[in-house]
Amino acid sequence: MFVIFGASGKVGRVSAASLRNAGHAVRAVVRNEAQGEQLARMGCEIALADLTNPASVARAIEGADAVQILCPVPMGDAQPGSTMRRMIEVAADALRANPPPHVLALSDYGAELDEGSGITLLFHVLEKQLQAAVQNLTLLRAAEHMQNWARVIPVALATGKLPSLHHPLSKRFPTVAAQDVGQLAADLLPGEPRGIVSIEGLRRVAALDVARALSNASGREISAHEVPRNEWPAMLLRAGLGADHAQLIIDLYDTHNAGRIDVEEGVGERRFGTTEFAEVTASMLPDNAAVVN
């Protein structure tokens, strides 16, 4: 039995589908029944769990041959860092008490950094807690997901300007398609633990490239706009984030722009996805925004 936490997400859904297509039994762990409907149609067993609830997490991993664990940054939480740390503690305790033959944890580029990296620092905590809790561990570190740009596409289409916290606009950085992460996780999960495995796309991109891809996909002129550093807090608060969540993002991009969020050279295995940024960009457009040929 392969247990997939976050199975309704962009990564977990691909992992679950790939494992099912290969004939494996999959237990898809989701927060509510609605999230499990499509997964149930794939033939997955559905388990409901709250990642802050030890009993529900313990039930979800019972009888597992392998577990794919995800501790997401909780949206809409007044203190997302504290809540995610609680999720990590619960997951580590459950896996320590009932260790499966293989645990694969979804992590981030830069997770080796132990201070000042905002959201990425939480993945450092995840890695350290799981390394102390279980022996049979794979840490799958992914570059920034290409799909993250979906958050600002509506603004770009409405204004012709793509806001970017990546400075300068010409700076190239690693990204990866979420589906490539999910597929690699599914490929690794049935095998032996691999330590640290890192994945990014075939080509690094800059904010200028993202704007160009969006222009090509939408048929509209879109230019990249470097959001001034002093405007970040107000912009993030206007987007609906709480002050604590906004600060996690600010700290992350400060670290990113300093060139410190990247693959950890010489550590573990390095893999590359196959999905191009242009393909992901086109898939993120609203139905009425794509170029009509």
Side-chain angles (χ1 to χ4, degrees):
M1 174 66 72
F2 292 88
V3 176
I4 310 296
F5 283 82
S8 63
K10 294 181 178 65
V11 173
R13 188 183 302 275
V14 171
S15 298
S18 179
L19 290 165
R20 285 296 301 135
N21 289 338
H24 296 294
V26 173
R27 181 180 298 145
V29 185
V30 294
R31 291 190 304 272
N32 56 63
E33 292 181 358
Q35 290 180 332
E37 290 175 357
Q38 184 178 356
L39 294 156
R41 289 194 290 271
M42 292 180 193
C44 296
E45 175 187 325
I46 305 301
L48 303 183
D50 176 349
L51 287 173
T52 64
N53 182 288
S56 67
V57 173
R59 286 194 299 270
I61 68 171
E62 287 179 359
D65 297 301
V67 173
Q68 181 170 313
I69 190 73
L70 166 69
C71 290
V73 181
M75 299 298 294
D77 193 301
Q79 295 181 313
S82 297
T83 300
M84 186 170 166
R85 286 173 184 267
R86 173 62 178 158
M87 293 177 184
I88 293 167
E89 291 173 1
V90 168
D93 287 345
L95 293 167
R96 182 184 292 108
N98 187 14
H102 189 187
V103 175
L104 184 147
L106 299 174
S107 187
D108 269 12
Y109 271 28
E112 73 278 7
L113 303 176
D114 61 4
E115 62 178 355
S117 57
I119 289 172
T120 297
L121 182 60
L122 297 170
F123 289 95
H124 176 80
V125 174
L126 171 69
E127 291 193 3
K128 292 303 180 185
Q129 292 252 15
L130 291 182
Q131 286 170 335
V134 295
Q135 293 183 334
N136 302 319
L137 180 65
T138 298
L139 297 171
L140 179 52
R141 292 179 180 170
E144 177 181 308
H145 287 189
M146 297 175 184
Q147 284 84 351
N148 288 355
W149 288 89
R151 301 164 186 165
V152 294
I153 283 179
V155 172
L157 294 175
T159 66
K161 293 183 178 181
L162 178 75
S164 174
L165 303 187
H166 284 285
H167 294 180
L169 298 176
S170 58
K171 179 197 72 175
R172 294 193 174 276
F173 51 90
T175 65
V176 67
Q179 60 265 37
D180 288 346
V181 181
Q183 184 59 58
L184 177 56
D187 294 342
L188 294 173
L189 205 58
E192 295 297 317
R194 307 292 283 268
I196 295 173
V197 181
S198 300
I199 181 171
E200 63 180 86
L202 290 172
R203 276 172 278 278
R204 296 192 167 199
V205 301
L208 295 172
D209 300 315
V210 179
R212 188 177 304 113
L214 185 55
S215 294
N216 292 338
S218 66
R220 307 179 190 187
E221 187 63 33
I222 307 291
S223 61
H225 169 61
E226 186 177 293
V227 180
R229 172 64 175 75
N230 64 347
E231 295 179 10
W232 291 6
M235 183 193 75
L236 294 169
L237 293 175
R238 285 197 305 272
L241 298 183
D244 286 0
H245 198 160
Q247 191 60 54
L248 289 174
I249 292 176
I250 290 167
D251 291 345
L252 168 62
Y253 279 94
D254 279 342
T255 308
H256 217 310
N257 292 336
R260 299 178 62 214
I261 302 293
D262 210 325
V263 65
E264 187 177 10
E265 293 288 352
V267 175
E269 302 176 37
R270 195 170 180 189
R271 304 291 186 92
F272 295 89
T274 58
T275 307
E276 296 284 1
F277 203 102
E279 180 183 344
V280 173
T281 302
S283 72
M284 293 188 293
L285 288 178
D287 291 340
N288 60 355
V291 173
V292 178
N293 294 318

